């Protein structure tokens, strides 16, 4: 998925002349902590919730940040996640090469789109391994998995403070006893095992679970 397919219909761009108090209402309604500010069709900055809250009687132009961080419409979802993470942003504008505003993407909508269109929320087990980078081979782990009639549908990799990698593998089934035994035989350290077959509820509940999982 690319940025042009992820534009939010909940984020309405602000103008410099808008009052911060009105902007706060927009933020609450759209569940956003920052909103793009657009003038004459171009991005000119962002208004953050905490600054708007301290300047309720003032205009957006007096309280906004002049940051013009934006992404092009053809950038991939994974790149968007990295850019937003590096910038610690919950909303990011999408603009063309001339900085003309095309729309915005919120972190909530981004995660919702990801969970809706991938195997993350489908029933299956998650196994977390811990190892040094030199020992990591997805090809080897996939071979062990498929030899035991399972498939890996998603992979999350996180760098730990002890210079090791935390590898979280999502499987297409909850019946993974043979895979676990095989991984142990090959010397892999099983840090944790989670079953997802009992997760129920609507997409918002699944999204809340995913956010909690990513932050652990």
């Amino acid at each position: 998925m690319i940025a042009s397919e992820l534009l939010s219909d909940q984020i309405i761009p602000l103008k410099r002349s808008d009052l911060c108090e009105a902007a706060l209402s927009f933020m609450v309604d759209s569940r956003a902590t920052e909103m793009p500010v657009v003038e004459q069709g171009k991005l000119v900055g962002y208004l953050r919730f905490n600054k708007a809250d301290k300047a309720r009687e003032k205009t957006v132009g007096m309280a906004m940040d002049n940051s013009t961080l934006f992404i092009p419409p053809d950038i991939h979802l994974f790149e968007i996640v990295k850019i937003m993470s590096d910038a610690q942003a919950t909303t990011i504008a999408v603009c063309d090469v001339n900085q003309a505003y095309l729309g915005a993407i919120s972190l909530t909508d981004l995660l919702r789109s990801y969970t809706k269109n991938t195997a993350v929320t489908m029933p299956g087990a998650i196994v977390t391994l811990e190892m040094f980078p030199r020992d990591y081979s997805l090809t080897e782990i996939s071979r062990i998995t498929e030899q035991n009639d399972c498939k890996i549908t998603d992979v999350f990799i996180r760098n730990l403070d002890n210079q090791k990698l935390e590898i979280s593998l999502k499987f297409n089934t909850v019946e993974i006893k043979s895979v676990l035994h095989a991984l142990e035989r090959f010397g892999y350290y099983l840090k944790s095992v989670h079953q997802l077959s009992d997760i129920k509820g609507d997409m918002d509940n699944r999204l809340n679970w995913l956010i909690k999982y990513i932050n652990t």
Side-chain angles (χ1 to χ4, degrees):
M1 300 182 72
I2 59 175
S4 60
E5 300 172 329
L6 298 167
L7 300 180
S8 173
D9 57 3
Q10 300 295 315
I11 298 178
I12 302 172
L14 304 171
K15 295 181 294 186
R16 284 193 179 101
S17 59
D18 290 333
L19 288 176
C20 287
E21 188 165 9
L24 287 169
S25 296
F26 289 143
M27 291 183 179
V28 171
D29 290 343
S30 61
R31 299 180 183 179
T33 58
E34 53 197 350
M35 300 281 277
V37 183
V38 176
E39 291 286 349
Q40 297 182 344
K42 292 193 174 184
L43 176 72
V44 294
Y46 290 88
L47 179 68
R48 321 288 175 181
F49 188 94
N50 58 345
K51 287 193 174 182
D53 193 37
K54 295 177 182 177
R56 288 175 175 265
E57 303 303 320
K58 296 181 180 179
T59 63
V60 168
M62 298 176 68
M64 68 180 230
D65 295 337
N66 293 320
S67 167
T68 54
L69 175 67
F70 69 90
I71 56 175
D74 59 349
I75 193 170
H76 191 272
L77 182 150
F78 291 164
E79 295 178 276
I80 300 171
V81 171
K82 184 181 186 306
I83 292 170
M84 293 183 73
S85 175
D86 290 344
Q88 296 185 327
T90 60
T91 302
I92 192 164
V94 180
C95 302
D96 65 15
V97 293
N98 297 314
Q99 207 168 314
Y101 180 79
L102 303 176
I105 297 171
S106 72
L107 182 60
T108 300
D109 286 339
L110 188 66
L111 289 175
R112 183 176 287 111
S113 295
Y114 180 67
T115 57
K116 183 178 179 181
N117 292 282
T118 68
V120 169
T121 54
M122 293 174 61
I126 291 178
V127 175
T128 301
L129 310 175
E130 186 176 310
M131 66 191 73
F132 286 106
R134 65 174 180 270
D135 298 323
Y136 172 62
S137 170
L138 183 57
T139 301
E140 174 69 11
I141 296 172
S142 296
R143 183 186 64 79
I144 295 171
T145 299
E146 292 178 8
Q147 285 180 347
N148 288 274
D149 300 321
C150 292
K151 290 186 181 297
I152 298 171
T153 59
D154 260 303
V155 179
F156 295 92
I157 301 177
R158 184 172 67 163
N159 289 306
L160 302 177
D161 293 337
N162 60 5
Q163 298 184 340
K164 289 185 176 181
L165 296 178
E166 184 181 81
I167 316 293
S168 295
L169 307 168
K170 174 67 186 296
F171 294 94
N172 65 333
T173 177
V174 296
E175 301 299 330
I176 59 166
K177 287 184 180 180
S178 62
V179 175
L180 297 179
H181 292 321
L183 289 171
E184 288 182 322
R185 285 199 308 272
F186 279 87
Y188 288 100
Y189 170 58
L190 305 181
K191 188 173 184 178
S192 64
V193 178
H194 302 276
Q195 307 292 97
L196 299 185
S197 58
D198 294 328
I199 291 181
K200 296 181 175 67
D202 57 20
M203 186 56 69
D204 285 338
N205 289 333
R206 292 181 174 187
L207 175 63
N208 290 336
W209 172 85
L210 177 63
I211 293 172
K212 180 179 179 181
Y213 170 74
I214 290 174
N215 288 331
T216 58

